[in-house]
Coordinates of all heavy atoms in Angstrom, one line a residue:
M1 N -80.4 -55.5 -44.0 CA -79.2 -55.8 -44.8 C -79.5 -55.9 -46.2 O -80.4 -56.7 -46.6 CB -78.5 -57.1 -44.2 CG -77.2 -57.4 -44.8 SD -76.5 -58.8 -43.9 CE -75.9 -59.7 -45.3
E2 N -78.7 -55.2 -47.0 CA -79.0 -55.2 -48.5 C -78.4 -56.5 -49.1 O -77.3 -56.9 -48.8 CB -78.3 -54.0 -49.1 CG -78.7 -53.8 -50.5 CD -78.0 -52.5 -51.1 OE1 -78.1 -51.5 -50.4 OE2 -77.5 -52.6 -52.2
R3 N -79.2 -57.2 -49.9 CA -78.8 -58.4 -50.6 C -78.4 -58.1 -52.0 O -79.2 -57.5 -52.7 CB -79.9 -59.4 -50.5 CG -79.4 -60.8 -50.9 CD -80.4 -61.8 -50.3 NE -80.2 -63.1 -51.0 CZ -79.3 -64.0 -50.7 NH1 -78.4 -63.7 -49.7 NH2 -79.1 -65.1 -51.3
S4 N -77.3 -58.5 -52.5 CA -76.9 -58.2 -53.9 C -76.9 -59.5 -54.7 O -76.6 -60.6 -54.1 CB -75.6 -57.5 -53.9 OG -74.6 -58.4 -53.4
T5 N -77.1 -59.4 -56.0 CA -77.1 -60.5 -56.8 C -75.6 -60.9 -57.1 O -74.8 -60.0 -57.4 CB -77.8 -60.2 -58.2 OG1 -79.1 -59.8 -57.9 CG2 -77.8 -61.4 -59.1
R6 N -75.3 -62.2 -57.0 CA -74.0 -62.7 -57.3 C -74.0 -63.6 -58.5 O -74.9 -64.3 -58.8 CB -73.4 -63.4 -56.1 CG -73.4 -62.5 -54.9 CD -72.8 -63.2 -53.6 NE -71.4 -63.5 -53.7 CZ -70.4 -62.6 -53.7 NH1 -70.7 -61.3 -53.6 NH2 -69.2 -63.0 -53.7
V7 N -72.9 -63.5 -59.3 CA -72.9 -64.2 -60.6 C -71.5 -65.0 -60.7 O -70.5 -64.5 -60.1 CB -73.0 -63.3 -61.8 CG1 -74.4 -62.8 -61.9 CG2 -72.0 -62.2 -61.9
S8 N -71.5 -66.1 -61.4 CA -70.3 -66.8 -61.5 C -69.5 -66.2 -62.7 O -70.1 -66.0 -63.8 CB -70.7 -68.3 -61.9 OG -69.5 -69.0 -62.2
V9 N -68.2 -66.0 -62.5 CA -67.4 -65.4 -63.5 C -66.3 -66.4 -64.0 O -65.6 -66.1 -65.0 CB -66.8 -64.1 -63.1 CG1 -67.8 -63.0 -63.0 CG2 -66.0 -64.2 -61.8
F10 N -66.1 -67.4 -63.2 CA -65.0 -68.4 -63.6 C -65.3 -69.7 -62.9 O -65.7 -69.8 -61.8 CB -63.7 -67.9 -63.2 CG -62.5 -68.7 -63.7 CD1 -62.1 -68.6 -65.0 CD2 -61.8 -69.6 -62.9 CE1 -61.0 -69.4 -65.5 CE2 -60.8 -70.3 -63.3 CZ -60.4 -70.2 -64.6
E11 N -65.2 -70.8 -63.7 CA -65.3 -72.2 -63.1 C -64.2 -73.0 -63.5 O -63.6 -72.9 -64.6 CB -66.6 -72.8 -63.7 CG -67.9 -72.2 -63.2 CD -69.1 -72.9 -63.7 OE1 -69.1 -74.2 -63.7 OE2 -70.1 -72.3 -64.0
S12 N -63.8 -73.9 -62.6 CA -62.7 -74.8 -62.8 C -62.8 -75.9 -61.8 O -63.3 -75.8 -60.7 CB -61.3 -74.1 -62.7 OG -60.3 -75.0 -62.9
D13 N -62.1 -77.1 -62.1 CA -62.0 -78.1 -61.2 C -60.6 -78.2 -60.6 O -60.3 -79.1 -59.8 CB -62.4 -79.5 -61.8 CG -61.6 -79.8 -63.0 OD1 -60.8 -79.0 -63.4 OD2 -61.7 -81.0 -63.5
K14 N -59.8 -77.1 -60.9 CA -58.4 -77.0 -60.4 C -58.4 -76.0 -59.3 O -58.4 -74.8 -59.6 CB -57.5 -76.7 -61.5 CG -57.4 -77.7 -62.6 CD -56.5 -77.2 -63.7 CE -56.6 -78.1 -64.9 NZ -56.3 -77.4 -66.2
P15 N -58.2 -76.4 -58.1 CA -58.2 -75.4 -57.0 C -57.1 -74.3 -57.2 O -57.2 -73.2 -56.8 CB -57.9 -76.2 -55.7 CG -58.5 -77.6 -56.1 CD -58.2 -77.7 -57.6
S16 N -55.9 -74.7 -57.7 CA -54.8 -73.8 -57.9 C -55.2 -72.7 -58.9 O -54.9 -71.5 -58.7 CB -53.6 -74.5 -58.4 OG -53.8 -75.1 -59.6
E17 N -56.0 -73.0 -59.9 CA -56.4 -72.0 -60.9 C -57.4 -71.1 -60.3 O -57.4 -69.9 -60.5 CB -57.0 -72.8 -62.1 CG -57.1 -71.9 -63.4 CD -57.5 -72.7 -64.6 OE1 -58.3 -73.7 -64.5 OE2 -57.0 -72.4 -65.6
I18 N -58.3 -71.6 -59.5 CA -59.3 -70.8 -58.8 C -58.6 -69.8 -57.9 O -59.0 -68.7 -57.8 CB -60.3 -71.7 -58.0 CG1 -61.2 -72.5 -59.0 CG2 -61.1 -70.9 -57.0 CD1 -62.2 -71.7 -59.7
Q19 N -57.6 -70.3 -57.1 CA -56.9 -69.4 -56.2 C -56.2 -68.3 -56.9 O -56.2 -67.1 -56.5 CB -55.9 -70.2 -55.4 CG -56.5 -70.8 -54.1 CD -57.3 -69.9 -53.3 OE1 -58.5 -70.0 -53.1 NE2 -56.6 -68.9 -52.7
L20 N -55.7 -68.6 -58.1 CA -55.0 -67.6 -58.9 C -56.0 -66.5 -59.4 O -55.7 -65.3 -59.2 CB -54.3 -68.2 -60.1 CG -53.3 -67.4 -60.9 CD1 -52.1 -67.0 -60.0 CD2 -52.8 -68.1 -62.1
I21 N -57.1 -66.9 -59.9 CA -58.2 -65.9 -60.3 C -58.7 -65.1 -59.1 O -58.8 -63.9 -59.2 CB -59.3 -66.7 -61.0 CG1 -58.9 -67.4 -62.3 CG2 -60.5 -65.8 -61.2 CD1 -58.4 -66.4 -63.4
K22 N -58.9 -65.8 -58.0 CA -59.4 -65.2 -56.8 C -58.4 -64.1 -56.4 O -58.8 -63.0 -56.0 CB -59.6 -66.2 -55.7 CG -60.2 -65.6 -54.5 CD -60.6 -66.8 -53.5 CE -61.2 -66.3 -52.2 NZ -61.7 -65.0 -52.1
S23 N -57.1 -64.4 -56.4 CA -56.1 -63.4 -55.9 C -56.0 -62.2 -56.9 O -55.8 -61.1 -56.5 CB -54.7 -64.0 -55.7 OG -54.1 -64.3 -56.9
K24 N -56.2 -62.5 -58.2 CA -56.2 -61.4 -59.2 C -57.4 -60.4 -59.0 O -57.3 -59.2 -59.0 CB -56.2 -61.9 -60.6 CG -54.9 -62.5 -61.0 CD -54.7 -62.8 -62.4 CE -53.3 -63.3 -62.8 NZ -52.3 -62.3 -62.5
L25 N -58.6 -61.0 -58.6 CA -59.7 -60.2 -58.3 C -59.5 -59.5 -57.0 O -59.9 -58.3 -56.9 CB -61.0 -61.1 -58.3 CG -61.4 -61.7 -59.6 CD1 -62.6 -62.6 -59.4 CD2 -61.7 -60.7 -60.7
D26 N -58.9 -60.1 -56.0 CA -58.6 -59.5 -54.8 C -57.7 -58.3 -55.0 O -58.0 -57.2 -54.4 CB -58.0 -60.4 -53.8 CG -58.9 -61.5 -53.2 OD1 -60.2 -61.2 -53.3 OD2 -58.4 -62.5 -52.7
D27 N -56.7 -58.4 -55.8 CA -55.8 -57.3 -56.1 C -56.5 -56.1 -56.8 O -56.1 -55.0 -56.5 CB -54.7 -57.8 -57.1 CG -53.7 -58.8 -56.4 OD1 -53.7 -58.9 -55.1 OD2 -52.9 -59.4 -57.1
A28 N -57.5 -56.4 -57.5 CA -58.3 -55.4 -58.2 C -59.4 -54.9 -57.3 O -60.3 -54.1 -57.7 CB -58.9 -55.9 -59.5
Q29 N -59.4 -55.3 -56.0 CA -60.4 -54.9 -55.0 C -61.8 -55.3 -55.4 O -62.8 -54.5 -55.2 CB -60.3 -53.5 -54.6 CG -58.9 -53.2 -54.0 CD -58.7 -51.8 -53.7 OE1 -59.3 -50.9 -54.2 NE2 -57.7 -51.5 -52.8
I30 N -62.0 -56.4 -56.1 CA -63.3 -56.9 -56.4 C -63.6 -58.0 -55.4 O -62.9 -59.0 -55.3 CB -63.3 -57.5 -57.9 CG1 -63.1 -56.4 -58.9 CG2 -64.7 -58.2 -58.2 CD1 -63.0 -56.8 -60.3
T31 N -64.7 -57.8 -54.6 CA -65.1 -58.8 -53.6 C -65.6 -60.0 -54.3 O -66.4 -60.0 -55.3 CB -66.2 -58.2 -52.8 OG1 -65.8 -57.0 -52.2 CG2 -66.6 -59.2 -51.7
N32 N -65.1 -61.2 -53.9 CA -65.4 -62.4 -54.5 C -65.5 -63.6 -53.5 O -65.0 -63.4 -52.4 CB -64.4 -62.8 -55.7 CG -63.0 -62.9 -55.2 OD1 -62.7 -64.0 -54.7 ND2 -62.2 -61.9 -55.2
S33 N -66.1 -64.6 -53.9 CA -66.1 -65.8 -53.1 C -66.1 -67.1 -54.0 O -66.3 -67.0 -55.2 CB -67.4 -65.8 -52.3 OG -68.5 -65.9 -53.1
V34 N -65.7 -68.2 -53.4 CA -65.7 -69.4 -54.1 C -66.8 -70.3 -53.6 O -67.0 -70.5 -52.4 CB -64.3 -70.1 -54.0 CG1 -64.2 -71.4 -54.6 CG2 -63.2 -69.2 -54.5
E35 N -67.5 -70.9 -54.6 CA -68.5 -71.9 -54.3 C -68.1 -73.3 -54.8 O -67.6 -73.4 -55.9 CB -69.9 -71.5 -54.9 CG -70.5 -70.3 -54.1 CD -71.9 -70.0 -54.6 OE1 -72.4 -70.8 -55.5 OE2 -72.4 -69.0 -54.2
N36 N -68.5 -74.3 -54.1 CA -68.2 -75.7 -54.4 C -69.5 -76.3 -54.9 O -70.6 -76.1 -54.2 CB -67.8 -76.4 -53.2 CG -66.6 -77.1 -53.3 OD1 -66.0 -77.3 -54.4 ND2 -66.0 -77.6 -52.2
S37 N -69.5 -77.0 -56.0 CA -70.8 -77.7 -56.4 C -70.4 -79.0 -57.1 O -69.4 -79.0 -57.8 CB -71.6 -76.8 -57.3 OG -71.0 -76.5 -58.5
Y38 N -71.2 -80.0 -56.9 CA -70.9 -81.2 -57.6 C -71.1 -81.1 -59.1 O -72.1 -80.4 -59.5 CB -71.9 -82.4 -57.1 CG -71.4 -82.8 -55.7 CD1 -72.1 -82.4 -54.6 CD2 -70.3 -83.7 -55.6 CE1 -71.7 -82.9 -53.3 CE2 -69.9 -84.1 -54.3 CZ -70.6 -83.7 -53.2 OH -70.2 -84.1 -52.0
L39 N -70.3 -81.7 -59.9 CA -70.4 -81.7 -61.3 C -71.6 -82.6 -61.7 O -72.1 -83.4 -60.9 CB -69.1 -82.2 -62.0 CG -67.9 -81.3 -61.8 CD1 -66.7 -81.9 -62.4 CD2 -68.1 -79.9 -62.4
T40 N -71.9 -82.5 -63.0 CA -73.1 -83.3 -63.5 C -72.8 -84.8 -63.5 O -71.7 -85.2 -63.3 CB -73.4 -82.8 -64.9 OG1 -72.3 -83.0 -65.7 CG2 -73.8 -81.3 -64.9
F41 N -73.8 -85.5 -63.9 CA -73.7 -87.0 -64.0 C -72.6 -87.5 -65.0 O -72.3 -88.6 -65.0 CB -75.0 -87.6 -64.3 CG -75.6 -87.2 -65.6 CD1 -75.3 -87.8 -66.8 CD2 -76.4 -86.0 -65.7 CE1 -75.8 -87.4 -68.0 CE2 -76.9 -85.6 -66.9 CZ -76.6 -86.3 -68.1
T42 N -72.1 -86.6 -65.9 CA -71.1 -87.0 -66.9 C -69.7 -87.2 -66.2 O -68.8 -87.7 -66.9 CB -71.0 -86.0 -68.0 OG1 -70.7 -84.8 -67.5 CG2 -72.3 -86.0 -68.8
T43 N -69.6 -86.8 -65.0 CA -68.3 -87.0 -64.3 C -68.4 -87.9 -63.1 O -69.5 -88.3 -62.8 CB -67.8 -85.6 -63.9 OG1 -68.7 -85.1 -63.0 CG2 -67.6 -84.6 -65.0
T44 N -67.3 -88.1 -62.5 CA -67.4 -89.0 -61.3 C -68.2 -88.2 -60.2 O -68.1 -87.0 -60.1 CB -66.0 -89.3 -60.7 OG1 -65.3 -88.1 -60.5 CG2 -65.2 -90.1 -61.7
P45 N -68.9 -89.0 -59.4 CA -69.8 -88.3 -58.4 C -69.0 -87.5 -57.3 O -69.5 -86.6 -56.7 CB -70.4 -89.5 -57.7 CG -70.2 -90.7 -58.5 CD -69.1 -90.4 -59.4
T46 N -67.7 -87.8 -57.2 CA -66.9 -87.0 -56.2 C -66.3 -85.8 -56.8 O -65.8 -85.0 -56.0 CB -65.8 -87.9 -55.6 OG1 -65.0 -88.4 -56.7 CG2 -66.4 -89.1 -54.8
A47 N -66.3 -85.6 -58.1 CA -65.7 -84.5 -58.7 C -66.5 -83.2 -58.4 O -67.7 -83.2 -58.4 CB -65.6 -84.6 -60.2
T48 N -65.8 -82.2 -58.1 CA -66.5 -80.9 -57.8 C -66.0 -79.8 -58.7 O -64.8 -79.8 -59.1 CB -66.3 -80.5 -56.3 OG1 -64.9 -80.4 -56.0 CG2 -67.0 -81.4 -55.3
S49 N -66.9 -78.9 -59.0 CA -66.5 -77.7 -59.8 C -66.5 -76.6 -58.8 O -67.4 -76.4 -58.0 CB -67.6 -77.5 -60.8 OG -67.4 -76.3 -61.5
L50 N -65.5 -75.7 -58.9 CA -65.4 -74.6 -58.1 C -65.8 -73.4 -59.0 O -65.4 -73.3 -60.1 CB -63.9 -74.4 -57.6 CG -63.4 -75.5 -56.7 CD1 -61.9 -75.4 -56.6 CD2 -64.1 -75.5 -55.4
K51 N -66.5 -72.5 -58.4 CA -67.0 -71.3 -59.1 C -66.5 -70.0 -58.3 O -66.7 -70.0 -57.1 CB -68.5 -71.2 -59.1 CG -69.1 -72.3 -59.9 CD -70.7 -72.1 -59.9 CE -71.4 -73.2 -60.6 NZ -72.8 -73.1 -60.6
V52 N -66.0 -69.1 -59.1 CA -65.7 -67.8 -58.5 C -66.9 -66.9 -58.7 O -67.3 -66.7 -59.8 CB -64.4 -67.1 -59.1 CG1 -64.1 -65.8 -58.5 CG2 -63.2 -68.1 -58.9
M53 N -67.5 -66.4 -57.6 CA -68.7 -65.5 -57.7 C -68.3 -64.1 -57.3 O -67.5 -63.8 -56.4 CB -69.7 -66.0 -56.7 CG -70.0 -67.5 -56.8 SD -70.9 -68.0 -58.2 CE -72.5 -67.3 -57.8
V54 N -68.9 -63.2 -58.0 CA -68.8 -61.7 -57.8 C -70.1 -61.1 -57.8 O -71.1 -61.6 -58.3 CB -67.8 -61.0 -58.8 CG1 -66.5 -61.6 -58.8 CG2 -68.4 -61.0 -60.2
K55 N -70.2 -59.8 -57.3 CA -71.4 -59.1 -57.3 C -71.7 -58.7 -58.8 O -70.8 -58.5 -59.6 CB -71.3 -57.7 -56.6 CG -71.2 -57.9 -55.1 CD -71.1 -56.6 -54.4 CE -70.9 -56.7 -52.9 NZ -70.6 -55.4 -52.3
L56 N -73.0 -58.7 -59.1 CA -73.4 -58.4 -60.5 C -72.7 -57.1 -61.1 O -72.3 -57.1 -62.2 CB -74.9 -58.3 -60.6 CG -75.5 -58.1 -62.0 CD1 -75.1 -59.3 -62.9 CD2 -77.0 -58.0 -61.9
E57 N -72.7 -56.1 -60.2 CA -72.1 -54.8 -60.7 C -70.6 -54.9 -61.0 O -70.0 -54.1 -61.6 CB -72.4 -53.7 -59.8 CG -72.0 -53.9 -58.3 CD -73.1 -54.5 -57.4 OE1 -74.0 -55.2 -57.9 OE2 -73.0 -54.2 -56.2
D58 N -69.9 -56.0 -60.4 CA -68.5 -56.1 -60.6 C -68.2 -57.1 -61.8 O -67.0 -57.4 -62.1 CB -67.8 -56.7 -59.4 CG -67.8 -55.6 -58.3 OD1 -67.7 -54.4 -58.6 OD2 -67.8 -56.1 -57.1
E59 N -69.2 -57.7 -62.4 CA -69.0 -58.7 -63.4 C -68.2 -58.3 -64.6 O -67.2 -59.0 -65.0 CB -70.4 -59.2 -63.9 CG -70.4 -60.3 -64.9 CD -71.7 -60.7 -65.4 OE1 -72.6 -59.8 -65.5 OE2 -71.9 -61.8 -65.8
K60 N -68.4 -57.1 -65.1 CA -67.7 -56.6 -66.3 C -66.2 -56.5 -66.0 O -65.4 -57.0 -66.7 CB -68.3 -55.3 -66.8 CG -67.6 -54.8 -68.0 CD -68.3 -53.5 -68.5 CE -67.7 -52.9 -69.7 NZ -66.3 -52.4 -69.6
N61 N -65.9 -55.9 -64.9 CA -64.5 -55.7 -64.5 C -63.8 -57.1 -64.2 O -62.6 -57.3 -64.6 CB -64.3 -54.8 -63.3 CG -64.6 -53.4 -63.6 OD1 -64.6 -53.0 -64.7 ND2 -65.0 -52.6 -62.5
A62 N -64.5 -58.0 -63.6 CA -64.0 -59.3 -63.3 C -63.7 -60.0 -64.6 O -62.6 -60.6 -64.7 CB -65.0 -60.1 -62.4
F63 N -64.6 -60.0 -65.6 CA -64.3 -60.6 -66.8 C -63.1 -60.1 -67.6 O -62.3 -60.8 -68.2 CB -65.6 -60.6 -67.7 CG -66.6 -61.7 -67.5 CD1 -67.9 -61.4 -67.3 CD2 -66.2 -63.0 -67.4 CE1 -68.8 -62.4 -67.1 CE2 -67.1 -64.0 -67.1 CZ -68.4 -63.7 -67.0
E64 N -62.9 -58.8 -67.5 CA -61.8 -58.1 -68.1 C -60.5 -58.7 -67.5 O -59.5 -59.0 -68.2 CB -61.8 -56.6 -68.0 CG -62.9 -56.0 -68.9 CD -63.1 -54.5 -68.6 OE1 -62.4 -53.9 -67.8 OE2 -64.0 -54.0 -69.3
I65 N -60.4 -58.8 -66.2 CA -59.2 -59.3 -65.5 C -59.0 -60.8 -65.8 O -57.9 -61.2 -66.1 CB -59.4 -59.1 -64.0 CG1 -59.4 -57.6 -63.6 CG2 -58.4 -59.9 -63.2 CD1 -59.9 -57.3 -62.3
I66 N -60.1 -61.5 -65.8 CA -59.9 -63.0 -66.2 C -59.5 -63.2 -67.6 O -58.6 -64.0 -67.9 CB -61.3 -63.7 -65.9 CG1 -61.5 -63.7 -64.3 CG2 -61.2 -65.1 -66.4 CD1 -62.9 -64.1 -63.9
D67 N -60.1 -62.4 -68.5 CA -59.7 -62.5 -69.9 C -58.2 -62.2 -70.1 O -57.5 -62.8 -70.9 CB -60.6 -61.6 -70.8 CG -62.0 -62.1 -71.0 OD1 -62.2 -63.3 -70.8 OD2 -62.8 -61.3 -71.5
A68 N -57.8 -61.1 -69.5 CA -56.3 -60.7 -69.6 C -55.4 -61.9 -69.1 O -54.4 -62.2 -69.7 CB -56.1 -59.4 -68.8
Y69 N -55.8 -62.5 -67.9 CA -55.1 -63.6 -67.4 C -55.0 -64.8 -68.4 O -54.0 -65.4 -68.6 CB -55.6 -64.0 -66.1 CG -55.2 -65.5 -65.7 CD1 -53.9 -65.7 -65.3 CD2 -56.1 -66.5 -65.8 CE1 -53.5 -67.0 -65.0 CE2 -55.8 -67.8 -65.5 CZ -54.5 -68.1 -65.1 OH -54.1 -69.4 -64.8
L70 N -56.2 -65.1 -68.9 CA -56.3 -66.3 -69.9 C -55.5 -66.0 -71.1 O -54.8 -66.9 -71.6 CB -57.7 -66.6 -70.2 CG -58.6 -67.1 -69.0 CD1 -60.1 -67.2 -69.5 CD2 -58.1 -68.4 -68.5
Q71 N -55.5 -64.8 -71.6 CA -54.7 -64.5 -72.8 C -53.2 -64.5 -72.5 O -52.4 -65.0 -73.3 CB -55.1 -63.1 -73.4 CG -56.4 -63.1 -74.1 CD -56.8 -61.7 -74.5 OE1 -56.1 -60.7 -74.3 NE2 -58.0 -61.6 -75.1
Q72 N -52.8 -64.1 -71.4 CA -51.4 -64.1 -70.9 C -50.9 -65.5 -70.8 O -49.9 -65.9 -71.2 CB -51.3 -63.3 -69.6 CG -49.9 -63.3 -69.1 CD -49.8 -62.6 -67.8 OE1 -50.8 -62.6 -67.0 NE2 -48.7 -62.0 -67.4
S73 N -51.7 -66.4 -70.2 CA -51.3 -67.7 -69.9 C -51.3 -68.5 -71.2 O -50.6 -69.5 -71.4 CB -52.2 -68.4 -68.9 OG -53.5 -68.5 -69.3
E74 N -52.2 -68.2 -72.2 CA -52.2 -68.8 -73.5 C -50.9 -68.5 -74.3 O -50.5 -69.4 -75.0 CB -53.4 -68.3 -74.3 CG -54.3 -69.3 -74.9 CD -55.5 -68.7 -75.6 OE1 -55.3 -67.9 -76.5 OE2 -56.6 -69.1 -75.1
N75 N -50.4 -67.3 -74.1 CA -49.2 -66.9 -74.9 C -47.9 -67.4 -74.3 O -46.8 -67.1 -74.8 CB -49.2 -65.4 -75.0 CG -50.4 -64.8 -75.8 OD1 -50.8 -65.6 -76.7 ND2 -50.8 -63.6 -75.5
Q76 N -48.0 -68.1 -73.2 CA -46.7 -68.6 -72.6 C -46.4 -70.0 -73.0 O -47.1 -70.7 -73.5 CB -46.9 -68.6 -71.0 CG -46.9 -67.2 -70.5 CD -47.0 -67.2 -69.0 OE1 -47.1 -68.2 -68.3 NE2 -46.9 -66.0 -68.4

């Protein structure tokens, strides 16, 4: 089985925001997954950060989609 390098393209502590980004990547047929990790000591121990991960070769396209979403939501 071939193993590919995965990179984080978006992080948030808001599950709704993560789901929105995930669905936009799904719509663009970019395979992605969400990882859960505890935040650093500067936050409460129970707080978790969610990361959207994609294959390294999909990173550029994923960032373009995320940037377009962020610009659109900024202008609203």
Side-chain angles (χ1 to χ4, degrees):
M1 188 170 134
E2 190 179 313
R3 190 159 164 84
S4 63
T5 302
R6 300 182 68 71
V7 293
S8 173
V9 291
F10 188 77
E11 290 185 39
S12 177
D13 58 355
K14 299 178 189 150
S16 59
E17 197 171 38
I18 290 289
Q19 276 308 117
L20 194 63
I21 294 295
K22 186 169 175 23
S23 73
K24 290 195 174 295
L25 294 176
D26 287 341
D27 290 347
Q29 297 178 340
I30 296 175
T31 303
N32 62 82
S33 62
V34 176
E35 286 187 6
N36 234 348
S37 61
Y38 286 103
L39 294 175
T40 62
F41 60 88
T42 57
T43 59
T44 58
T46 56
T48 57
S49 175
L50 299 167
K51 295 180 183 180
V52 178
M53 308 290 288
V54 300
K55 290 180 186 173
L56 184 60
E57 57 267 26
D58 292 331
E59 181 182 30
K60 183 178 182 290
N61 289 340
F63 276 132
E64 288 171 2
I65 291 164
I66 293 165
D67 285 344
Y69 159 73
L70 292 175
Q71 286 175 1
Q72 181 185 27
S73 62
E74 229 175 61
N75 295 332
Q76 289 181 355

